[in-house]
Amino acid sequence: MNNKQKKVLYRIIACSVMMIGLHFAPIDGILQLALYLTAYIIIGHDILLKSWKGIRNGQVFDENFLMAVATIGAFILAIYDQTGDYEEGIAVMLFYQIGELFQSYAVGRSRRNISDLMDIRPDYANMEIDGKLEQVDPDEVEIGSIIIVQPGEKVPIDGIVREGRASLNTSALTGESLPREVEEGDEIISGCINMTGVLKIETTKEFGESTVSKILELVENASSNKSKSEEFIARFARWYTPFVCYSALVLAILPPLFNILALNSAPEFDVWIYRALTFLVISCPCALVISIPLSFFAGLGGASAEGVLVKGSNFLETLANVKYVVFDKTGTLTEGSFEVDGVHHNEIEDKKLLEYAAHAECASSHPISHSLQRAYGKNIDRNRVTDIREIGGHGIIAKVDGIEVAAGNKKLMDKLEIPCEECHSIGTIVHVSIEGKYAGHIVIADKIKKNSKIAISDLKKSGVKDTIMLTGDAKKVADKVAGELGIDTVYSELLPADKVTKVEELIAKKNEDEKLAFVGDGINDAPVLSRADIGIAMGAMGSDAAIEAADVVLMDDDPAKIAKAIRISRKCIGIVKQNTYFAIGVKFSCLVLGAVGIANMWYAIFADVGVMVLAVLNAIRALYVKNV
Ligand code: ADP
Ligand code: MG
């Protein structure tokens, strides 16, 4: 508990003690009234002050106003009726404060939970300066610097391991509890914790562009993307409270007037004013106003604990209604890390062909490019390469040592009007031409990710109607992959623009309330990510463009997390619905009971605080999704 909460707690205790004492004390008259008033001021002064401020700022109708009017009214009635029953008004204030305290404690707790999960911001980076290890601000580390990460420290900046090997704890990023091993030459992303060895890392990004910074930015912005339910509640509260206040006024005035004019009997103003005040207490909308945003907040937190970053609660809502899932192939369902299976060539040697291809690809971020560079194995001298042109869905054209090299698929060769040989191996074929003449091709093969098959079957189990794969790769490869995974529909040999058109077609065909998700790695498919109802990107291996264009980021590139994310979102939306119906239901029945005089103010405050506590406890459930 923080200090503010502690102060409220002390006031609650002081007020309770006073009330019990006064209940049994043999005093009455002015002294009794004065002591009860003191207890009232102790517990309620801040609420009175807030409602006064509200009135002065022209925002009259809020919970503070409801509570202030109801409790002051109860006091005045007690004085007027000379019953000496001042306890009611104080009790209302007391329970209201207990409820508020509980709520602020719960919200604080879940906030802290989430920031614990997101406790990945590194405070410093170690650099060797004049033979000594010094801590520097990660913001000041330039690309290509060597940083040192010791056991127990967080990796501050993305890079490549140049020396050492270690086990990394990636759980804060990916929700994955198995340690990941890295050694010399491996890529390493920031936010992981080094558990064992000392690592020397060559940075490949600036701190601001590194994975941690990107993630933190995402999380910080998530709460500004409000869901429809939250917007509804905000709008609801805006007209609801004034409506209740005017209804209470009507309830206090009309029946007594009716008594006088129509029945010719006593007006019974005090009875009806009391009922009107009860009405005010019951109608306080706090349970809804607090529990709905809290449920979403907890849902976002629960998802991030699983390594699924959702960029806002509106996307949780969309995710819950996903019925079509469209996948990109390379890097999404497959590892995107190709092995060279064979090099078939004309006159040139294997080595030379690979050398030209790898050099031409030196600036591309396509998985094929990385694989060719890896297969070549030697250092790539970027100075040898000029005039690089990457054509999405086709390949690369560049000059290596002044010689024009093209590397890509059959489409690229067709475009350059270079006749190429068919290859009978199943695999992705990278054709290479040198100075406009066909030089041969490299057959590369990709591995399917180990969870892809489970991902597809889980999606089907969770009620997804159709799984679809789009790829720029050859039909042969595409069909093979789709067959192995059990994908329903395949479209192959698509250009990046065709992918957008396909997704638009699919969106046009389905119902409005069935949502379509596109899952990609952002290489050649960032426009599709933003065009789909919801874009899901691979975070660890995907490009920065993907992470920006996507609505949901899977931190560990595991496609099985999609079904999990859908389940998390459904649980969260379920909780939101439960809370809405429950709170409105209870409130509404109490309002009716209050208006006809069955429920008194004690019931009213119990109903209000009770509903709020239950709704908040229910909301917090959304944080725990491990066992969905
Ligand atoms: P996918 O849908 O499988 O992710 P892309 O649209 O990224 O495919 O690429 C489609 C095809 O275009 C690849 O299978 C490859 O044949 C060719 N291609 C794209 N970029 C490159 C590149 N940098 N080098 C070689 N070939 C490429
Ligand atoms: Mg791709």
Side-chain angles (χ1 to χ4, degrees):
M1 263 193 205
N2 60 29
N3 276 341
K4 212 167 138 199
Q5 290 167 340
K6 271 190 201 136
K7 265 190 210 149
V8 177
L9 184 65
Y10 296 148
R11 281 165 53 200
I12 289 172
I13 295 171
C15 176
S16 313
V17 170
M18 268 186 92
M19 270 182 78
I20 295 170
L22 283 171
H23 187 81
F24 295 108
I27 46 171
D28 54 8
I30 285 291
L31 179 65
Q32 190 194 24
L33 175 60
L35 287 173
Y36 269 117
L37 260 182
T38 313
Y40 177 68
I41 298 294
I42 289 177
I43 195 69
H45 63 89
D46 54 338
I47 304 288
L48 297 178
L49 216 63
K50 276 188 218 159
S51 86
W52 172 241
K53 275 191 194 142
I55 294 172
R56 275 214 328 226
N57 294 336
Q59 288 157 332
V60 180
F61 298 113
D62 60 4
E63 289 136 58
N64 299 315
F65 179 76
L66 289 179
M67 286 300 142
V69 172
T71 53
I72 292 176
F75 249 98
I76 293 176
L77 271 186
I79 297 171
Y80 172 81
D81 284 346
Q82 294 180 333
T83 54
D85 183 9
Y86 306 118
E87 286 171 3
E88 217 162 25
I90 305 177
V92 167
M93 219 28 132
L94 183 66
F95 284 109
Y96 180 71
Q97 292 282 26
I98 292 176
E100 291 289 294
L101 177 64
F102 173 76
Q103 165 197 316
S104 83
Y105 183 67
V107 172
R109 269 296 285 272
S110 52
R111 248 180 229 290
R112 202 147 356 103
N113 257 345
I114 289 166
S115 55
D116 278 354
L117 297 174
M118 300 316 302
D119 184 21
I120 49 176
R121 185 188 294 283
D123 307 314
Y124 59 88
N126 294 321
M127 285 180 88
E128 224 170 48
I129 299 172
D130 303 329
K132 266 193 305 193
L133 211 56
E134 282 189 24
Q135 295 190 348
V136 298
D137 185 342
D139 253 328
E140 285 166 9
V141 177
E142 286 170 20
I143 296 180
S145 311
I146 298 283
I147 55 170
I148 291 155
V149 181
Q150 293 166 311
E153 291 180 332
K154 284 177 213 136
V155 178
I157 303 172
D158 297 358
I160 292 174
V161 178
R162 285 296 173 225
E163 219 181 289
R165 53 169 60 218
S167 303
L168 300 177
N169 175 350
T170 61
S171 61
L173 288 176
T174 62
E176 185 68 62
S177 48
L178 273 181
R180 188 182 291 175
E181 307 291 330
V182 289
E183 54 181 35
E184 223 176 290
D186 286 346
E187 277 184 34
I188 188 165
I189 56 173
S190 49
C192 310
I193 297 169
N194 177 0
M195 297 194 300
T196 51
V198 177
L199 292 175
K200 278 197 179 173
I201 297 170
E202 179 182 343
T203 62
T204 51
K205 287 187 182 154
E206 281 173 20
F207 177 62
E209 293 298 313
S210 284
T211 311
V212 236
S213 306
K214 292 267 175 215
I215 293 173
L216 289 169
E217 213 172 280
L218 276 186
V219 173
E220 277 154 20
N221 291 333
S223 51
S224 57
N225 289 319
K226 290 272 177 279
S227 61
K228 284 205 200 90
S229 325
E230 283 166 289
E231 279 170 6
F232 167 75
I233 291 300
R235 250 184 294 134
F236 176 77
R238 233 173 289 140
W239 67 258
Y240 172 81
T241 314
F243 169 79
V244 164
C245 291
Y246 289 122
S247 313
L249 201 61
V250 170
L251 193 63
I253 294 173
L254 269 195
L257 279 186
F258 184 76
N259 280 344
I260 299 171
L261 300 177
L263 304 178
N264 255 332
S265 58
E268 297 190 308
F269 263 115
D270 47 352
V271 172
W272 289 101
I273 289 179
Y274 180 81
R275 288 188 189 174
L277 295 176
T278 309
F279 195 83
L280 287 183
V281 176
I282 298 169
S283 61
C284 182
C286 11
L288 273 183
V289 170
I290 183 65
S291 79
I292 305 299
L294 186 64
S295 310
F296 278 113
F297 193 69
L300 294 178
S304 65
E306 289 285 321
V308 180
L309 294 184
V310 182
K311 287 195 188 168
S313 38
N314 50 340
F315 301 120
L316 276 181
E317 251 167 0
T318 317
L319 209 50
N321 294 319
V322 163
K323 287 278 178 277
Y324 298 88
V325 183
V326 182
F327 291 92
D328 179 48
K329 178 180 74 76
T330 314
T332 303
L333 290 171
T334 65
E335 300 274 0
S337 123
F338 296 83
E339 298 287 326
V340 171
D341 260 4
V343 182
H344 307 164
H345 49 84
N346 294 351
E347 284 136 28
I348 189 170
E349 315 165 41
D350 279 16
K351 276 264 175 53
K352 215 55 189 158
L353 195 72
L354 206 51
E355 182 178 338
Y356 276 127
H359 275 85
E361 296 269 6
C362 71
S364 167
S365 58
H366 201 279
I368 291 182
S369 142
H370 291 305
S371 315
L372 291 181
Q373 292 179 40
R374 201 157 359 98
Y376 173 58
K378 290 187 209 147
N379 254 351
I380 302 237
D381 181 2
R382 289 186 176 222
N383 294 327
R384 289 171 56 190
V385 195
T386 54
D387 303 295
I388 304 175
R389 261 200 306 148
E390 175 154 15
I391 307 175
H394 289 82
I396 297 274
I397 306 173
K399 283 205 168 123
V400 181
D401 304 329
I403 296 171
E404 186 172 276
V405 179
N409 52 15
K410 185 162 181 307
K411 281 204 187 107
L412 181 71
M413 293 297 130
D414 291 348
K415 207 179 170 98
L416 298 173
E417 295 179 1
I418 297 168
C420 62
E421 278 168 28
E422 284 281 324
C423 178
H424 300 289
S425 330
I426 293 192
T428 302
I429 317 284
V430 182
H431 296 283
V432 183
S433 75
I434 294 172
E435 288 290 23
K437 260 185 61 198
Y438 190 68
H441 51 249
I442 304 166
V443 185
I444 55 183
D446 197 0
K447 272 203 307 278
I448 290 174
K449 284 188 193 167
K450 76 171 194 300
N451 276 345
S452 292
K453 199 170 168 147
I454 300 173
I456 304 292
S457 65
D458 275 1
L459 281 174
K460 288 190 178 150
K461 265 184 235 148
S462 64
V464 166
K465 282 190 184 163
D466 203 3
T467 51
I468 299 141
M469 187 175 91
L470 305 183
T471 179
D473 210 344
K475 184 164 189 311
K476 251 198 294 194
V477 187
D479 287 346
K480 183 162 170 264
V481 171
E484 270 174 47
L485 294 180
I487 297 236
D488 299 314
T489 321
V490 195
Y491 300 98
S492 53
E493 301 183 19
L494 299 173
L495 294 179
D498 301 336
K499 292 185 186 172
V500 180
T501 326
K502 263 280 165 290
V503 162
E504 278 175 348
E505 261 169 41
L506 291 167
I507 289 178
K509 259 201 304 208
K510 68 181 179 52
N511 283 340
E512 198 30 54
D513 50 356
E514 298 173 330
K515 299 294 178 195
L516 177 143
F518 178 80
V519 194
D521 62 352
I523 297 178
N524 292 341
D525 56 19
V528 203
L529 279 172
S530 29
R531 184 60 193 87
D533 292 327
I534 188 158
I536 304 176
M538 299 290 150
M541 124 137 195
S543 66
D544 295 347
I547 298 179
E548 240 136 74
D551 308 313
V552 176
V553 179
L554 305 180
M555 285 316 301
D556 55 356
D557 293 1
D558 176 358
K561 289 279 169 74
I562 302 164
K564 207 163 204 173
I566 292 180
R567 282 198 303 253
I568 291 171
S569 66
R570 288 198 186 144
K571 178 173 178 186
C572 181
I573 301 297
I575 289 174
V576 166
K577 284 204 180 122
Q578 289 160 10
N579 278 351
T580 312
Y581 293 138
F582 175 59
I584 291 184
V586 172
K587 291 266 140 146
F588 194 74
S589 7
C590 285
L591 279 180
V592 174
L593 293 180
V596 299
I598 295 175
N600 65 18
M601 223 178 257
W602 288 93
Y603 288 121
I605 191 66
F606 275 119
D608 182 52
V609 174
V611 169
M612 210 265 312
V613 169
L614 289 177
V616 165
L617 288 177
N618 195 26
I620 290 176
R621 264 186 341 115
L623 193 57
Y624 301 102
V625 279
K626 281 269 188 267
N627 309 318
V628 280

